Structure formats: structure tokens, C-alpha cells
Amino acid sequence: MESNYHTLKRTDNQLLVITHLTQMLTYITGFGGLIVPLILWATQKDRVDGMDVHGKAIVNFQLSMIIYFIISIILIPVFLIGVLPLILVCILSFIMPIINAIKASNGELPSYPLSLSFIS
């Protein structure tokens, strides 16, 4: 007879909130906004209810923002076309983790606009 202990996941909305907010490390340290949530997701996805969904959304969003950032930087010399997308990327990268942290605290699913699906 197998034990169901290993299949049970705990509810931990606080950890989900922290996982979303760790994306802000990029603004504080210059890096870490992808690495820390990736580590939290990888280590907790089988233990915390909802972590797999939230973690995938965060990683997809961070990878998307990195790509959009690089494209924007490349487009700046071309008649400053990249400046507006760069501003948008910076605003989204700051606001969306906060919005989704609030959603996570309320038990809601994350929603990140312009996020490409690298991990499904």
C-alpha cells in the first residue's frame, strides 16, 4: 500500500507572493529577477499547491522581458524606435510582479501580458 504523503501539497500563498516579488531583485541587484524565482519554482513545485503554475508564469514572463529588453536596446539606434518599447518593458517588469503577488495572496492565478510561452 502506497502512502499519499508524497502527493500532498501544502497551501502556501505567502511563498507564492514572495516568489512573484523576488522578480524585483533585478531592480535592486541588477540580476536575480529570473534566477531566484526559478530556484524557488524548481525546488517547491512538487511541494506547494499552485507553485508550478505561478513559477512557469514567472519564468516565461522574465524570459520574455529579457528578450523584449534586448530587442528594444538593439532598436534604439534606429531612429530611437526602441525607446518606447524599452520604457514599456521596464514598467511592465516593475508593475506586473506586484499585481501578481496580490493575486497570489488572494489565491488567484497569475496573468502576465506579452509573456511568451517557453515553459508550458
Side-chain angles (χ1 to χ4, degrees):
M1 185 165 131
E2 289 185 36
S3 170
N4 287 337
Y5 175 75
H6 295 292
T7 60
L8 295 176
K9 293 183 180 183
R10 72 181 194 277
T11 300
D12 192 345
N13 288 354
Q14 287 181 333
L15 184 58
L16 296 176
V17 168
I18 290 168
T19 306
H20 284 283
L21 293 178
T22 57
Q23 296 176 81
M24 307 302 273
L25 285 170
T26 300
Y27 289 98
I28 299 167
T29 64
F31 65 95
L34 172 63
I35 297 166
V36 175
L38 179 63
I39 292 169
L40 288 172
W41 168 60
T43 60
Q44 300 299 312
K45 67 181 176 183
D46 296 327
R47 298 179 185 161
V48 175
D49 190 36
M51 179 60 84
D52 196 40
V53 173
H54 287 265
K56 286 177 183 177
I58 292 167
V59 171
N60 284 332
F61 179 69
Q62 282 298 307
L63 290 173
S64 299
M65 292 300 107
I66 290 168
I67 289 170
Y68 295 143
F69 182 82
I70 291 168
I71 291 170
S72 298
I73 293 295
I74 291 169
L75 290 176
I76 286 176
V78 183
F79 303 111
L80 301 176
I81 293 173
V83 173
L84 187 58
L86 184 62
I87 293 169
L88 179 64
V89 165
C90 292
I91 291 170
L92 282 176
S93 295
F94 188 82
I95 293 174
M96 293 314 299
I98 297 168
I99 291 171
N100 282 295
I102 294 167
K103 284 184 170 188
S105 72
N106 294 327
E108 299 173 32
L109 293 175
S111 173
Y112 285 99
L114 302 175
S115 188
L116 304 172
S117 184
F118 297 99
I119 303 170
S120 54

